[in-house]
Amino acid sequence: MAIRERLSGNEAVAYAIRQINPDVMPAFPITPSTEIPQYVANYIANGKIDTEFIPVESEHSAMSAAIGASAAGARAVTATSSCGMALMWEELYVAASDRLPVVLALVNRALSGPININADHSDSMGARDSGWIQIYAESNQEAYDNFLQAYPIAEHASVRLPVMICQDGFITSHGVENIQLLEDDKVREFVGEYMPAHYLLHEKEPMAVGPYAVSAYYMETKRAQREAMKNARQVILETAARFESLTGRKYGFFEEYRMEDADYVIVLIGSAAGTCKAAIDEIRSATGQKVGLLKIRVFRPFPEEELANALRDKKAIAVLDRSEMFAATGGPLGAEVRAALYSAGSRAEVVNYFYGLGGRDITVDDFKEVYAKLERLARTHERTDMYTYIGLRER
Amino acid sequence: MAENRIHEKSPWQDITEGNQIYEPATSRQFCTGEWRTCTPVYLAERCRQCLLCVPVCPDSSIPVQEGKRQAFDYDHCKGCGICAKVCPFGAIEMKEGK
C-alpha cells in the first residue's frame, strides 16, 4: 500500500534520497534548492541513512566531488539551482563525457542577471548541451517519481550518463501537495544496488578516468557519448514501464492531455501544465473547442520522432518557452519542436511564446488567450508575431 | 591488454566508455619530453649526489638508483629548469632547445 503524505517538492526529493541512501552527497546551499541538502543532512544526523555528506565550499566543488565519488565507484547525488548550476558548468560536461551516473536534483530558478530567485528554466536550458539527461516535473509527485527513476536510467550499462531531475523553483519545490510515497523496501528493490563494471577503488583493476583526448580521439568519444544518449531513450521507457507496474503511475517522454481529437495544442515543460490543463477543461466544457496539451517530461534525449508524430497533424501549435536563448527569435523548446515538425513534413502552424521568466505568473486566462490565438492562426494563417510573450507589459 | 588498445584509427564503437584506460601507469608511454624547449644538462663531475634535484622535479624525470641520481629521463622532462635552480653545485645547466 502506498503511503499518503503531504510534502513540498524539496521534501519529496529529500525523502527519495533517504530511501535510496546514496553513498556520497556533496552540496552547497542555494535558493530554492537549499532544503534538499538540509533535509538530507538531518536524515544523516538522525542516523536514518549513512550517506557521506560533504559540505563543500562551492557548487564547482560540489560537482567535482560528485564526479570523484562516482569515478571511485560510489553512488553520488547533489542538488542545486540557477547560478549554483552555472558554477558547476565545467564539471557538468566532465561528468557526462566521463560517463559518470551522477544524479542532480535541480530546482529550476532564473539565472542572473538581473538577480532573481524565482522559477524559470534558464539554468537547465543553458545546460541542455552538456550531455546530461534532463527530466522535468509538473508536480511534487512527478518530482518524487522522476527522482526514483533517475539512478536506474543513469546507471544502466547501455547509458552510463548523469541525470538531472528538474522541478520548478518555489512552485513545486516549496508548494505542499498531496503525494503518494513508496515504501522504503520497494524503493530499494526498484533502484537496486550500484554495481559499476569499472571503478577507481577496484583494487584488482588499476584504471584512469577522464584522460586527455587529442583530436584523433575527441570526435569518436563524442559520437560514443551520443550513442549512450540514444540508448537512454529505450532505458527511460523501460524504467517508466517498471515504475508503472510498481505504482500504477504512467510516464513517458511526454504527457498528452486531451490530445486525441485536439486541433489546437500547447507544448510546454513543467509546473505550468497544471494551469494549462485547467484552462483546457474549462474551454472544452464551455465551447467544445478541441484544445490539448503536450507536456514534455524528457527534454534530453529529445524525443523528436515521438513528438512529431503526436503533433504533426494538429492545426496550430503554441510552444511555450520558460527561458530566453537570445537568438533574437524564439526559445530553445520552440526551436527544437519546430525542427522536429519540419523533419516530419508537418504543415501545422507554430507560434513560440515566452512566459514565466523570472517567476512571472501565468494564469488560466492567459492559456485561454493562447488557444484563442491558435484558433485564429489556423483559420487565417496570418503569420505575424511568431515569437511573442505571455504576461509582458507593453506600450 | 596492449593488443586490445585503441589507437588513432579505431572506429568510435571501439572507444572505451569515457576514454577510460584499464591498466596502470600508461602515462609513461606518453613522451611529454617532446614539448621541451630548454634541456637540462647533467654535469656529473660537479655533482655531490645531494639529491636536492630529485624531489623538486614535477615530472619525476630524475631517476635514482642505490642512492645516486642517474641521467635525466628525457622522454618525460619538460625542461622547466627547477632542478638547475635548486642545484647548489652548478651540476645542472640549461641549454636552449631539445
Side-chain angles (χ1 to χ4, degrees), chain B residues 32-41 72-74 76-84 92-98:
Chain B
T32 47
E34 285 175 13
W35 307 353
R36 198 166 58 240
T37 59
C38 287
T39 302
V41 180
F72 282 106
D73 166 11
Y74 287 126
H76 300 100
C77 166
K78 299 201 198 76
C80 69
I82 297 174
C83 55
I92 301 169
E93 281 180 359
M94 298 302 292
K95 69 159 195 190
E96 287 264 324
K98 291 196 179 169

CSV table of all heavy atoms in Angstrom, one decimal, chain B residues 32-41 72-74 76-84 92-98:
chain,number,residue,atom,x,y,z
B,32,THR,N,56.1,13.2,-23.0
B,32,THR,CA,55.8,14.7,-22.9
B,32,THR,C,57.1,15.4,-23.0
B,32,THR,O,57.1,16.7,-23.1
B,32,THR,CB,55.2,15.0,-21.5
B,32,THR,OG1,55.9,14.3,-20.5
B,32,THR,CG2,53.8,14.5,-21.5
B,33,GLY,N,58.3,14.8,-23.0
B,33,GLY,CA,59.5,15.4,-23.3
B,33,GLY,C,59.6,16.1,-24.6
B,33,GLY,O,60.4,17.0,-24.8
B,34,GLU,N,58.7,15.7,-25.5
B,34,GLU,CA,58.7,16.3,-26.8
B,34,GLU,C,58.3,17.8,-26.8
B,34,GLU,O,58.5,18.6,-27.7
B,34,GLU,CB,57.6,15.6,-27.7
B,34,GLU,CG,58.1,14.3,-28.3
B,34,GLU,CD,57.0,13.6,-29.0
B,34,GLU,OE1,56.0,14.2,-29.4
B,34,GLU,OE2,57.1,12.4,-29.3
B,35,TRP,N,57.7,18.2,-25.7
B,35,TRP,CA,57.2,19.6,-25.5
B,35,TRP,C,58.4,20.5,-25.1
B,35,TRP,O,58.2,21.7,-25.1
B,35,TRP,CB,56.1,19.7,-24.4
B,35,TRP,CG,55.0,18.8,-24.6
B,35,TRP,CD1,54.7,18.0,-25.6
B,35,TRP,CD2,53.9,18.6,-23.6
B,35,TRP,NE1,53.6,17.3,-25.4
B,35,TRP,CE2,53.1,17.6,-24.2
B,35,TRP,CE3,53.6,19.1,-22.4
B,35,TRP,CZ2,51.9,17.2,-23.5
B,35,TRP,CZ3,52.5,18.7,-21.7
B,35,TRP,CH2,51.7,17.7,-22.3
B,36,ARG,N,59.5,19.9,-24.8
B,36,ARG,CA,60.6,20.7,-24.2
B,36,ARG,C,61.2,21.7,-25.1
B,36,ARG,O,61.4,21.4,-26.3
B,36,ARG,CB,61.7,19.7,-23.8
B,36,ARG,CG,62.7,20.2,-22.8
B,36,ARG,CD,63.5,19.0,-22.2
B,36,ARG,NE,64.2,18.3,-23.2
B,36,ARG,CZ,64.1,17.0,-23.5
B,36,ARG,NH1,63.2,16.3,-22.8
B,36,ARG,NH2,64.7,16.4,-24.5
B,37,THR,N,61.5,22.9,-24.6
B,37,THR,CA,62.2,23.9,-25.4
B,37,THR,C,63.5,24.3,-24.8
B,37,THR,O,64.4,24.9,-25.5
B,37,THR,CB,61.3,25.2,-25.5
B,37,THR,OG1,61.1,25.7,-24.2
B,37,THR,CG2,60.0,25.0,-26.2
B,38,CYS,N,63.8,23.9,-23.5
B,38,CYS,CA,65.1,24.0,-22.9
B,38,CYS,C,65.4,22.7,-22.3
B,38,CYS,O,64.5,21.9,-21.9
B,38,CYS,CB,65.1,25.0,-21.8
B,38,CYS,SG,65.0,26.7,-22.3
B,39,THR,N,66.7,22.3,-22.2
B,39,THR,CA,67.1,21.0,-21.8
B,39,THR,C,68.1,21.1,-20.7
B,39,THR,O,69.1,21.8,-20.8
B,39,THR,CB,67.7,20.2,-23.0
B,39,THR,OG1,66.7,20.2,-24.0
B,39,THR,CG2,68.0,18.8,-22.6
B,40,PRO,N,67.9,20.4,-19.6
B,40,PRO,CA,68.9,20.4,-18.5
B,40,PRO,C,70.0,19.4,-18.9
B,40,PRO,O,69.8,18.3,-19.4
B,40,PRO,CB,68.1,19.8,-17.3
B,40,PRO,CG,67.0,19.0,-17.9
B,40,PRO,CD,66.7,19.6,-19.2
B,41,VAL,N,71.2,19.9,-18.7
B,41,VAL,CA,72.4,19.0,-18.9
B,41,VAL,C,73.1,18.7,-17.6
B,41,VAL,O,73.4,19.6,-16.8
B,41,VAL,CB,73.4,19.8,-19.8
B,41,VAL,CG1,74.6,18.9,-20.1
B,41,VAL,CG2,72.7,20.2,-21.1
B,72,PHE,N,69.1,12.1,-16.9
B,72,PHE,CA,67.7,12.6,-17.0
B,72,PHE,C,66.9,11.6,-17.9
B,72,PHE,O,67.4,11.1,-18.8
B,72,PHE,CB,67.7,14.0,-17.7
B,72,PHE,CG,68.1,15.1,-16.7
B,72,PHE,CD1,69.3,15.7,-16.7
B,72,PHE,CD2,67.1,15.5,-15.7
B,72,PHE,CE1,69.6,16.7,-15.9
B,72,PHE,CE2,67.5,16.5,-14.9
B,72,PHE,CZ,68.7,17.1,-14.9
B,73,ASP,N,65.6,11.5,-17.5
B,73,ASP,CA,64.7,10.8,-18.4
B,73,ASP,C,64.1,11.9,-19.4
B,73,ASP,O,63.2,12.6,-19.1
B,73,ASP,CB,63.6,10.2,-17.5
B,73,ASP,CG,62.4,9.8,-18.3
B,73,ASP,OD1,62.4,9.7,-19.5
B,73,ASP,OD2,61.3,9.5,-17.6
B,74,TYR,N,64.8,11.9,-20.5
B,74,TYR,CA,64.4,13.0,-21.5
B,74,TYR,C,63.1,12.7,-22.2
B,74,TYR,O,62.5,13.5,-22.9
B,74,TYR,CB,65.5,13.2,-22.5
B,74,TYR,CG,66.7,13.9,-21.9
B,74,TYR,CD1,68.0,13.4,-22.0
B,74,TYR,CD2,66.5,15.2,-21.3
B,74,TYR,CE1,69.1,14.1,-21.5
B,74,TYR,CE2,67.6,15.8,-20.8
B,74,TYR,CZ,68.9,15.3,-20.8
B,74,TYR,OH,70.0,16.0,-20.3
B,76,HIS,N,60.4,12.3,-20.6
B,76,HIS,CA,59.4,13.0,-19.8
B,76,HIS,C,59.7,14.3,-19.3
B,76,HIS,O,58.9,15.1,-18.8
B,76,HIS,CB,58.9,12.1,-18.7
B,76,HIS,CG,58.3,10.8,-19.2
B,76,HIS,ND1,59.0,9.6,-19.2
B,76,HIS,CD2,57.1,10.5,-19.8
B,76,HIS,CE1,58.3,8.7,-19.8
B,76,HIS,NE2,57.1,9.2,-20.2
B,77,CYS,N,61.1,14.7,-19.3
B,77,CYS,CA,61.5,16.0,-18.8
B,77,CYS,C,61.0,17.1,-19.7
B,77,CYS,O,61.2,17.0,-21.0
B,77,CYS,CB,63.0,16.1,-18.8
B,77,CYS,SG,63.7,17.7,-18.6
B,78,LYS,N,60.3,18.1,-19.2
B,78,LYS,CA,59.7,19.2,-20.0
B,78,LYS,C,60.6,20.4,-20.0
B,78,LYS,O,60.3,21.5,-20.5
B,78,LYS,CB,58.3,19.6,-19.5
B,78,LYS,CG,57.3,18.4,-19.6
B,78,LYS,CD,55.9,19.0,-19.6
B,78,LYS,CE,54.8,17.9,-19.3
B,78,LYS,NZ,54.8,17.6,-17.9
B,79,GLY,N,61.8,20.3,-19.3
B,79,GLY,CA,62.7,21.4,-19.4
B,79,GLY,C,62.4,22.6,-18.5
B,79,GLY,O,62.7,23.7,-18.9
B,80,CYS,N,61.7,22.4,-17.4
B,80,CYS,CA,61.2,23.6,-16.6
B,80,CYS,C,62.4,24.3,-15.9
B,80,CYS,O,62.3,25.5,-15.6
B,80,CYS,CB,60.2,23.1,-15.6
B,80,CYS,SG,60.9,22.1,-14.3
B,81,GLY,N,63.5,23.5,-15.7
B,81,GLY,CA,64.7,24.2,-15.1
B,81,GLY,C,64.7,24.3,-13.6
B,81,GLY,O,65.6,24.9,-13.0
B,82,ILE,N,63.7,23.8,-12.9
B,82,ILE,CA,63.7,23.8,-11.4
B,82,ILE,C,64.9,23.1,-10.8
B,82,ILE,O,65.6,23.6,-9.9
B,82,ILE,CB,62.4,23.3,-10.8
B,82,ILE,CG1,61.2,24.1,-11.3
B,82,ILE,CG2,62.4,23.2,-9.3
B,82,ILE,CD1,59.8,23.5,-10.9
B,83,CYS,N,65.3,22.0,-11.4
B,83,CYS,CA,66.4,21.2,-10.9
B,83,CYS,C,67.7,22.1,-11.0
B,83,CYS,O,68.5,22.1,-10.1
B,83,CYS,CB,66.6,19.9,-11.7
B,83,CYS,SG,66.7,20.1,-13.5
B,84,ALA,N,67.9,22.8,-12.1
B,84,ALA,CA,69.1,23.6,-12.3
B,84,ALA,C,69.1,24.7,-11.2
B,84,ALA,O,70.1,25.1,-10.7
B,84,ALA,CB,69.1,24.2,-13.7
B,92,ILE,N,73.9,21.2,-12.9
B,92,ILE,CA,72.9,21.1,-13.9
B,92,ILE,C,72.8,22.5,-14.7
B,92,ILE,O,72.7,23.5,-14.0
B,92,ILE,CB,71.5,20.8,-13.4
B,92,ILE,CG1,71.5,19.5,-12.6
B,92,ILE,CG2,70.4,20.8,-14.5
B,92,ILE,CD1,70.2,19.2,-11.8
B,93,GLU,N,73.0,22.4,-16.0
B,93,GLU,CA,73.0,23.7,-16.8
B,93,GLU,C,71.9,23.5,-17.8
B,93,GLU,O,71.6,22.4,-18.3
B,93,GLU,CB,74.3,23.9,-17.5
B,93,GLU,CG,75.4,24.5,-16.5
B,93,GLU,CD,76.7,24.7,-17.2
B,93,GLU,OE1,76.8,24.4,-18.4
B,93,GLU,OE2,77.6,25.2,-16.5
B,94,MET,N,71.2,24.7,-18.0
B,94,MET,CA,70.1,24.6,-19.0
B,94,MET,C,70.6,25.1,-20.3
B,94,MET,O,71.3,26.1,-20.4
B,94,MET,CB,69.0,25.5,-18.6
B,94,MET,CG,68.3,25.2,-17.3
B,94,MET,SD,67.6,23.5,-17.2
B,94,MET,CE,66.2,23.7,-18.4
B,95,LYS,N,70.3,24.3,-21.4
B,95,LYS,CA,70.7,24.8,-22.8
B,95,LYS,C,69.4,24.9,-23.6
B,95,LYS,O,68.4,24.3,-23.3
B,95,LYS,CB,71.6,23.8,-23.4
B,95,LYS,CG,71.0,22.4,-23.7
B,95,LYS,CD,71.8,21.7,-24.8
B,95,LYS,CE,71.0,20.6,-25.3
B,95,LYS,NZ,71.3,19.6,-26.1
B,96,GLU,N,69.5,25.8,-24.6
B,96,GLU,CA,68.4,26.1,-25.5
B,96,GLU,C,68.0,24.9,-26.3
B,96,GLU,O,69.0,24.1,-26.7
B,96,GLU,CB,68.7,27.2,-26.4
B,96,GLU,CG,68.7,28.6,-25.8
B,96,GLU,CD,67.4,29.3,-26.0
B,96,GLU,OE1,66.8,29.2,-27.0
B,96,GLU,OE2,67.0,30.1,-25.0
B,97,GLY,N,66.7,24.6,-26.6
B,97,GLY,CA,66.3,23.6,-27.5
B,97,GLY,C,66.3,22.2,-26.8
B,97,GLY,O,66.4,22.1,-25.6
B,98,LYS,N,66.0,21.2,-27.7
B,98,LYS,CA,65.9,19.8,-27.1
B,98,LYS,C,67.2,19.2,-26.9
B,98,LYS,O,67.4,18.2,-26.4
B,98,LYS,CB,65.1,19.0,-28.2
B,98,LYS,CG,63.6,19.4,-28.3
B,98,LYS,CD,62.7,18.4,-28.9
B,98,LYS,CE,61.3,19.0,-28.9
B,98,LYS,NZ,60.4,18.3,-29.7
